[in-house]
Amino acid sequence: KQEVTQIPAALSVPEGENLVLNCSFTDSAIYNLQWFRQDPGKGLTSLLLIQSSQREQTSGRLNASLDKSSGRSTLYIAASQPGDSATYLCAVPSYSGAGSYQLTFGKGTKLSVIP
Amino acid sequence: AAGVIQSPRHLIKEKRETATLKCYPISRHDTVYWYQQGPGQDPQFLISFYEKMQSDKGSIPDRFSAQQFSDYHSELNMSSLELGDSALYFCASVSVGPGGEQFFGPGTRLTVL
């Protein structure tokens, strides 16, 4: 059974700092990996999707990397801003047959960017 | 293009009542997933549908049922509600295939009193 772990559980940084969030998974036979952002009590916003054949994916100040063999992904946020404060979750799909690829989520990293 | 639509956005029910949550996937997406996120928890998979057929079940109580209709929208029916059912319920839609990105709706916040 796939297990996803995120470290650290919480992170507080001053505005402008670059930071890295970590995600690890136990079964390296993944199809892709998604990073999400969630504001308190709100929905899940997809930030980046990395296919299993890719090593990196970039969107603005965000860069996600994937190392399937070691079961790890990182989300790099450059020049952090207070508006980046949120919980960041990574998730990988697990195939269970009949076209179902339900996501297994990590417990998230709660990021606080201090002005 | 319109995203995934969920209704209602907020729902307050009493214990033992029933609730129906609706999900309208992105156009041409034929697969729908339902997830439950309790307070302070990560989302947990409940049930999925592909081409109007149930494709997988996760940790969904027997009191819950769901279906996908001919227009691909899905409904999650919850009966005999318990306090522990209070949570955010998300649906996600995706084009079929292992590399498909799952797009999430804004969620329905269910509060059981």
Side-chain angles (χ1 to χ4, degrees):
Chain A
K1 180 188 170 189
Q2 179 75 268
E3 292 181 5
V4 180
T5 303
Q6 291 188 247
I7 295 173
L11 182 63
S12 183
V13 300
E15 181 178 1
E17 193 163 294
N18 303 325
L19 59 101
V20 174
L21 308 181
N22 297 292
C23 172
S24 61
F25 43 93
T26 53
D27 185 350
S28 61
I30 62 171
Y31 297 100
N32 60 50
L33 184 144
Q34 273 185 264
W35 281 94
F36 293 89
R37 168 186 172 138
Q38 186 173 34
D39 293 289
K42 301 296 185 183
L44 296 164
T45 301
S46 181
L47 297 173
L48 289 164
L49 170 76
I50 310 180
Q51 301 290 356
S52 60
S53 57
Q54 297 177 311
R55 294 297 300 269
E56 269 189 24
Q57 191 68 259
T58 298
S59 176
R61 293 184 293 109
L62 305 179
N63 176 278
S65 68
L66 175 64
D67 184 344
K68 274 183 56 175
S69 60
S70 68
R72 295 183 183 183
S73 176
T74 61
L75 180 66
Y76 174 84
I77 302 177
S80 59
Q81 302 171 358
D84 295 330
S85 298
T87 297
Y88 292 81
L89 299 106
C90 70
V92 293
S94 299
Y95 181 64
S96 58
S100 180
Y101 298 88
Q102 69 271 21
L103 294 180
T104 299
F105 287 83
K107 297 196 179 299
T109 294
K110 186 176 183 179
L111 173 66
S112 298
V113 181
I114 312 302
Chain B
V4 177
I5 297 171
Q6 289 187 248
S7 67
R9 295 291 307 277
H10 303 273
L11 193 57
I12 299 175
K13 291 286 184 178
E14 300 278 344
K15 279 188 347 182
R16 292 180 290 278
E17 285 191 322
T18 61
T20 297
L21 279 54
K22 297 184 179 182
C23 169
Y24 297 86
I26 292 171
S27 177
R28 292 191 294 276
H29 283 192
D30 49 18
T31 302
V32 168
Y33 298 85
W34 285 95
Y35 296 87
Q36 177 193 57
Q37 186 178 30
Q41 303 296 314
D42 53 294
Q44 296 292 317
F45 168 69
L46 291 177
I47 194 167
S48 61
F49 292 89
Y50 166 58
E51 278 293 342
K52 294 156 279 184
M53 299 287 290
Q54 180 184 306
S55 50
D56 195 21
K57 285 178 71 171
S59 49
I60 183 169
D62 292 340
R63 300 177 288 107
F64 294 6
S65 65
Q67 57 183 325
Q68 187 178 33
F69 294 85
S70 58
D71 64 350
Y72 295 104
H73 93 272
S74 178
E75 295 183 5
L76 178 65
N77 299 293
M78 310 160 71
S79 63
S80 303
L81 287 169
E82 302 174 356
L83 296 178
D85 296 329
S86 295
L88 266 170
Y89 290 83
F90 295 107
C91 77
S93 78
V94 63
S95 295
V96 69
E101 181 175 4
Q102 292 197 21
F103 295 89
F104 279 73
T108 293
R109 177 172 292 283
L110 173 65
T111 302
V112 181
L113 302 176

